[in-house]
């Protein structure tokens, strides 16, 4: 499969935080066919791969992409058979009402319902419906009927969607961070100049727990979080608050809500990109966080970078990404691995 085909396959899989097993199984099936890879699944469910390169550097480089996606979880059943739920990861309640969802392992079809707008008060119409006031309708007429099909703790996902969108763009659910998984899987197929470790981590959206565990077991000297990040190139958003734009290349972070990135590594990325004619852009909004934070802090710490692709409508049922930005991220990561090798891990 090429990069886009891999991304599509990954985006069509369910993998709400804590339930990433289908994504892990797919990745393992692909990794088995790649020479020079040694893969294991850690106790939390992260897939950790050691890829043999042409030489072993004096220090250890790890690249991380998380397998999990934001979603919902059933936390109760109402008397009328509708389902109470909560969010898993950061989801804007404004994207939920009226959405089709799939409930539980059987992927029961459901619709997220809210009080009709013509029955709302003026105050209610002026704000998003809180999650506590939303319900999932699965077509049941009683609590007993619904309880035969669903239990509290069942995860809820958005339907699997992936298709071309506009000129050179694609739309789909869970692009954050199946994009990163697709890119790392593609890089694993390359003949690398030096040994590298790859972590396809769990539970990033709920606190970075998979990356924290991998930081202890792998103890990298350098870790790169490969992510999708919010693009604000939309009407009404301008200046630094736009963060980044589709079509302008890989996104480099100097600071976010979880990490202050080493300035010399940020500048090194810019230099490596310039030498390779790889388009890059800064993430100008100080927002969000990713798996760089646990790698930086856990197990004695590591030097960290975040290399991202801009993504519109992130954490929604319909994310949008540009193929050119994906390719820029891939090229930059390969160039960074080459730079790491040339300097024997002494970046």
């Amino acid at each position: 499969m090429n990069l886009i085909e891999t991304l599509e396959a990954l985006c069509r899989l369910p993998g709400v935080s804590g339930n990433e097993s289908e994504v892990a199984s797919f990745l393992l099936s692909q990794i088995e066919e790649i020479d020079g890879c040694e893969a294991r699944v850690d106790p939390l469910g992260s897939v950790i791969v050691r890829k043999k390169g042409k030489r072993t550097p004096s220090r250890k480089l790890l690249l991380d992409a998380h397998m999990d996606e934001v979603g919902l979880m059933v936390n109760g059943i109402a008397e009328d058979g509708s389902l109470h739920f909560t969010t898993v990861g950061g989801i804007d309640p404004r994207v939920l009402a009226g959405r089709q969802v799939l409930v539980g392992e059987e992927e029961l079809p459901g619709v997220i319902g809210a009080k009709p707008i013509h029955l709302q008060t003026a105050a209610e119409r002026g704000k998003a419906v809180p999650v506590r006031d939303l319900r999932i309708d699965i077509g049941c007429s009683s609590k007993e009927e619904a309880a035969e099909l669903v239990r509290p703790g069942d995860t809820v996902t958005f339907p699997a969607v992936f298709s071309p969108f506009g000129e050179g763009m694609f739309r789909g659910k869970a692009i954050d961070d199946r994009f990163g998984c697709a890119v790392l899987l593609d890089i694993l197929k390359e003949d690398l100049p030096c040994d590298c470790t790859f972590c396809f981590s769990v539970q990033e959206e709920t606190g970075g727990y998979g990356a924290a565990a991998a930081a202890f077991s792998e103890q990298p000297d350098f870790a790169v979080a490969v992510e999708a990040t919010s693009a604000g190139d939309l009407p009404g958003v301008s200046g630094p608050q736009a963060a980044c734009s589709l079509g302008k290349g890989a996104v480099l972070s100097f600071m976010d809500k979880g990490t202050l990135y080493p300035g010399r590594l940020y500048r090194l990325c810019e230099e490596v990109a310039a030498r390779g004619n790889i388009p890059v852009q800064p993430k100008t909004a100080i927002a969000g966080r990713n798996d760089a934070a646990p790698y930086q802090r856990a197990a004695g710490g590591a030097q960290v970078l975040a290399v991202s692709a801009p993504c519109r409508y992130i954490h929604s049922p319909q994310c949008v990404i540009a193929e050119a930005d994906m390719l820029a991220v891939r090229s930059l990561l390969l160039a960074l691995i080459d730079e790491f090798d040339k300097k024997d891990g002494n970046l």
Side-chain angles (χ1 to χ4, degrees), residues 205-218:
E205 299 293 0
T206 53
Y209 303 122
F216 275 93
S217 66
E218 299 305 311

Side-chain angles (χ1 to χ4, degrees), residues 85-110:
F85 66 90
T86 189
T87 57
V88 180
I91 299 180
D92 187 339
R94 291 173 295 183
V95 307
L96 293 176
R99 292 288 183 179
Q100 180 184 351
V101 291
L102 302 173
V103 182
E105 292 183 1
E106 300 300 320
E107 296 191 338
L108 297 170

